[in-house]
Amino acid sequence: GRIRVVFMLSKINYGIIDPKVLAQTIIDVSHIPDVAVAIKPHTRGMKLDFMELDRIGNAIDAWNTPSPLLVEWADLILFTGSGIAFHAMFMNKRVGLLRYCQELETIFDSGESVEVLNAPEDVTTLIAKIRSGEKLAETREQEIREWLKANVESGAPGGDVVTHYKMRIQNDLS
């Protein structure tokens, strides 16, 4: 079947080095045979006016589709800094940070949690791996779960972050 790719974009003024490079990446991926592409602009008012929409092939502007539905649909999430990456990781999706498009440091830069893509060729290589049937190794999935536990759930038992911090604050105050 087709590889389903979703671009989850942060706002252009949020550290995007060169909007033309990001646009060209989207255009290039949208023209790969047997790849379905959805582009999700940032939910708080982003428009795709940084690129020529007539060049995106069969890709769709998914501005009105809820992000969780796109994550569920996707085989691969490509992002520039969007928090939806956490959701995708919890759903055991392949997630790639378009590092070469983002000038700001992110929590994802180490590569412990997502695949860090440092050049446009890394994107096409990752899509080719997925097409060939390559799955994340079980050890890699475990590493990602551990990273999520430490960085998102704060190591809290069962992921109950609110109770974890409530207890820490109460202990600090007593």
Side-chain angles (χ1 to χ4, degrees), residues 2-7 22-39 51-61 78 123-124 127 131:
R2 294 173 65 145
I3 306 297
R4 297 175 304 245
V5 177
V6 176
F7 284 88
L22 175 59
Q24 191 60 53
T25 298
I26 294 168
I27 290 164
D28 291 347
V29 171
S30 72
H31 286 90
I32 297 173
D34 296 322
V35 173
V37 175
I39 309 162
M51 62 185 300
E52 299 170 55
L53 293 179
D54 61 338
R55 295 184 59 211
I56 61 172
N58 293 324
I60 61 162
D61 177 356
L78 297 173
V123 175
T124 52
I127 291 170
R131 174 176 278 131

Side-chain angles (χ1 to χ4, degrees), residues 62-92:
W63 69 271
N64 62 345
T65 305
S67 295
L69 289 179
L70 290 169
V71 168
E72 187 176 323
W73 173 80
D75 298 307
L76 173 63
I77 308 295
L78 297 173
F79 75 109
T80 55
S82 173
I84 195 68
F86 295 113
H87 180 78
M89 290 165 28
F90 276 113
M91 299 282 296
N92 296 317

Side-chain angles (χ1 to χ4, degrees), residues 105-118:
E105 288 184 28
T106 76
I107 192 171
F108 307 104
D109 291 347
S110 69
E112 295 175 64
S113 58
V114 299
E115 300 188 50
V116 178
L117 306 168
N118 292 308

